[in-house]
């Protein structure tokens, strides 16, 4: 709820390094939301606003498409 906000950038760098080391797809919500809770985190300081949920969903969608969707011109052979 904000008390540890200053630790978030370092934690995110560590998470990104771990994801890269493990070959995992990282969806960086912190950066994707602009590194600020303004407009995306509600009055309770914890849960996203409607706009926040929409932006989070879009970030996930974009990551899924870019990581897993085959281009339209690629043909998949059946075995």
């Amino acid at each position: 709820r904000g008390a540890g906000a200053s630790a978030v950038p370092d934690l995110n760098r560590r998470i990104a390094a771990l994801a890269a080391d493990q070959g995992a797809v990282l969806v960086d919500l912190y950066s994707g939301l602009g590194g600020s809770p303004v407009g995306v985190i509600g009055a309770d300081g914890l849960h996203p606003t409607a706009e926040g949920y929409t932006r989070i969903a879009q970030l996930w969608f974009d990551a899924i498409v870019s990581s897993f969707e085959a281009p339209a011109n690629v043909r998949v052979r059946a075995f």
Side-chain angles (χ1 to χ4, degrees):
R1 296 190 182 196
S6 63
V8 172
D10 183 54
L11 176 62
N12 282 342
R13 281 189 290 277
R14 292 175 185 217
I15 292 170
L18 178 63
D21 184 54
Q22 297 295 314
V25 175
L26 175 68
V27 180
D28 185 354
L29 299 180
Y30 182 77
S31 293
L33 295 174
S36 170
V38 176
V40 293
I41 299 297
D44 67 356
L46 183 61
H47 296 94
T49 60
E51 172 66 19
Y53 279 118
T54 299
R55 289 175 57 190
I56 289 167
Q58 188 65 54
L59 291 165
W60 276 100
F61 179 81
D62 293 345
I64 291 167
V65 168
S66 69
S67 298
F68 301 107
E69 189 171 277
N73 62 351
V74 173
R75 292 180 179 231
V76 177
R77 286 182 45 190
F79 293 95

